Amino acid sequence: MQYRCGAQAANSLDAFIARRPVNCVPLSLDQYGRTVATCSVAGRDLGEWLVRNGLALDWPQYSKGRYHEAQREAERKGQGLWKGSYVEPWLYRACIRAHGEPSACSDDANAHP
């Protein structure tokens, strides 16, 4: 069964923010010139909240492991995407760039158990 993780994450984040002000602190730029930032609502780090609830993965390339423990907790509890199998987004994109077909790039044989 497919899980629309992007839509689930967006809807859950929208409900959590609940029209409260979001504060973002720029940290750096990525290789494409996009701002990498830490954003929070009422003092709660939104990246950490997403990872802890299984709605996002810790991407150490940018987080430097900041959300590692939150991800371990989400995995242990079977939260969100941890209920099933998945392919990490960065691996899926690399597969597509290598001219892979979407069905082959997201095949359960390539998925994280």
Side-chain angles (χ1 to χ4, degrees):
M1 181 171 103
Q2 288 188 343
Y3 174 65
R4 297 193 55 192
C5 54
Q8 180 65 46
N11 292 336
S12 296
L13 183 61
D14 183 55
F16 178 74
I17 292 172
R19 299 184 143 202
R20 295 180 289 176
V22 176
N23 179 45
C24 294
V25 177
L27 302 174
S28 63
L29 297 177
D30 71 6
Q31 65 185 12
Y32 303 105
R34 298 175 298 200
T35 301
V36 176
T38 298
C39 296
S40 61
V41 167
R44 288 282 312 268
D45 180 325
L46 295 178
E48 189 272 341
W49 183 88
L50 285 163
V51 171
R52 185 169 305 281
N53 286 284
L55 299 167
L57 295 171
D58 178 31
W59 194 353
Q61 176 180 344
Y62 294 105
S63 73
K64 310 294 186 240
R66 179 179 185 155
Y67 305 125
H68 177 76
E69 288 303 318
Q71 183 164 299
R72 286 186 52 185
E73 182 178 326
E75 182 177 11
R76 190 175 63 250
K77 291 181 176 180
Q79 299 278 86
L81 60 88
W82 296 100
K83 292 177 187 173
S85 63
Y86 63 89
V87 175
E88 287 87 347
W90 47 91
L91 296 179
Y92 176 83
R93 289 189 297 270
C95 180
I96 295 295
R97 281 193 302 272
H99 307 293
E101 292 295 320
S103 60
C105 293
S106 59
D107 187 325
D108 279 340
N110 300 319
H112 183 284

